[in-house]
Amino acid sequence: MPRPRKCRRVCTMPQRRSFGPLDGAENDTPPILLSVDEFECIRLIDLAGMTQEECARQMGVARTTAQAIYAGAREKLADCIVNGKKLHIEGGDYILYGSSSACGCGCCHQRRPCEKKIQEGKNMILAMPYENGAIFQHFGKSKEFQLYEIEDGKILGSRVISAGENGHSALADLLGKQGVTVMVCGGIGDGAKQALAQWGIRVLAGVQGPVEQAVEKYLAGRLSASSNATCDHHHEEGHSCHGGDSCCH
């Protein structure tokens, strides 16, 4: 059985996703697909000036893996430039990486791209508290989150991240550093809402059911959420969630 591929650490998402010739006749050839981790490898080596060994440490992979990623990415860029093809950046096995301090790639000391938000609507990351395929109903006690990378109303990829033993503020920091722009959840307290708001994360609360169903409804504009859904779990036995008026996203 093949070993699972390890997620590569990525410091910043691309500011632009699609590239191609501006002159000449339209080319109907399908665009070349450059993964986000290939983009990061090019950025670290060719723009930030890292060696392949330094790039490998930054991305959390072996040097030979970084070398292979770099070689594949350079070949795609050459094909795009020499043969006049379109190029699109999407997908890949990666996780957005950052902390309250700079992550070490050099650029974070200047502009903190790890914490830069992806604009909601066109490029965005939607998150949901996750348990056994469904939306976990108590935000503050969430152990995992399902994240969806969305572009132009289409899902490019998804992944599950561990929340660890975090409180409300730490959960907000975790999600903010992952680039999350929208949080779809069940019950959530005012403190958690305020912490998420500091990261510019929009909260759609009072949602139940499978995460796949919820993201499909969100993309279709049919997700019913509550503006007043709250969660009170100061006491384990007295834990309760309260809904409010329903509204349609």
Side-chain angles (χ1 to χ4, degrees), residues 164-247:
E165 299 296 331
N166 291 314
H168 291 159
S169 296
L171 287 175
D173 289 347
L174 170 71
L175 296 167
K177 290 165 187 174
Q178 293 288 330
V180 171
T181 51
V182 175
M183 165 60 62
V184 175
C185 60
I188 183 170
D190 290 338
K193 288 181 182 178
Q194 292 171 8
L196 291 169
Q198 291 179 351
W199 282 96
I201 299 174
R202 181 186 177 196
V203 176
L204 299 174
V207 182
Q208 301 181 25
V211 293
E212 296 290 346
Q213 187 178 89
V215 73
E216 287 175 3
K217 287 184 178 180
Y218 176 86
L219 294 175
R222 296 184 291 104
L223 182 68
S224 294
S226 170
S227 59
N228 299 314
T230 60
C231 183
D232 179 13
H233 54 77
H234 293 295
H235 303 286
E236 193 69 28
E237 296 301 322
H239 189 118
S240 59
C241 292
H242 316 278
D245 296 333
S246 294
C247 59

Side-chain angles (χ1 to χ4, degrees), residues 18-242:
S18 296
F19 304 87
L22 298 177
D23 56 355
E26 284 292 324
N27 190 340
D28 294 331
T29 305
I32 298 167
L33 297 180
L34 187 77
S35 66
V36 174
D37 45 307
E38 288 176 321
F39 159 83
E40 177 73 346
C41 194
I42 288 289
R43 186 185 72 84
L44 292 174
I45 294 176
D46 290 340
L47 185 61
M50 288 189 180
T51 65
Q52 291 184 7
E53 186 174 355
E54 290 170 333
C55 172
R57 282 200 302 269
Q58 174 65 25
M59 295 183 70
V61 298
R63 185 188 61 78
T64 52
T65 301
Q67 186 178 34
I69 296 171
Y70 182 65
R74 289 294 294 266
E75 183 178 351
K76 291 179 181 180
L77 292 178
D79 190 13
C80 171
I81 295 170
V82 174
N83 296 316
K85 296 181 179 180
K86 298 176 183 177
L87 182 140
H88 189 72
I89 304 173
E90 68 174 43
D93 299 307
Y94 69 94
I95 182 169
L96 284 173
Y97 176 67
S99 64
S100 57
S101 59
C103 71
C105 73
C107 65
C108 290
H109 290 86
Q110 302 170 22
R111 63 178 189 272
R112 302 281 295 280
C114 301
E115 299 172 8
K116 184 177 180 180
K117 296 294 177 298
I118 300 172
Q119 273 194 329
E120 181 186 344
K122 189 169 184 180
N123 300 330
M124 58 175 289
I125 294 180
L126 181 147
M128 286 181 266
Y130 177 84
E131 185 179 61
N132 298 325
I135 298 174
F136 183 62
Q137 290 299 297
H138 312 302
F139 177 84
K141 293 191 173 184
S142 301
K143 299 300 182 185
E144 292 182 318
F145 289 90
Q146 178 92 31
L147 271 56
Y148 292 91
E149 183 185 352
I150 297 169
E151 181 177 303
D152 294 328
K154 297 180 181 178
I155 298 173
L156 299 183
S158 67
R159 61 189 186 276
V160 175
I161 63 171
S162 173
E165 299 296 331
N166 291 314
H168 291 159
S169 296
L171 287 175
D173 289 347
L174 170 71
L175 296 167
K177 290 165 187 174
Q178 293 288 330
V180 171
T181 51
V182 175
M183 165 60 62
V184 175
C185 60
I188 183 170
D190 290 338
K193 288 181 182 178
Q194 292 171 8
L196 291 169
Q198 291 179 351
W199 282 96
I201 299 174
R202 181 186 177 196
V203 176
L204 299 174
V207 182
Q208 301 181 25
V211 293
E212 296 290 346
Q213 187 178 89
V215 73
E216 287 175 3
K217 287 184 178 180
Y218 176 86
L219 294 175
R222 296 184 291 104
L223 182 68
S224 294
S226 170
S227 59
N228 299 314
T230 60
C231 183
D232 179 13
H233 54 77
H234 293 295
H235 303 286
E236 193 69 28
E237 296 301 322
H239 189 118
S240 59
C241 292
H242 316 278

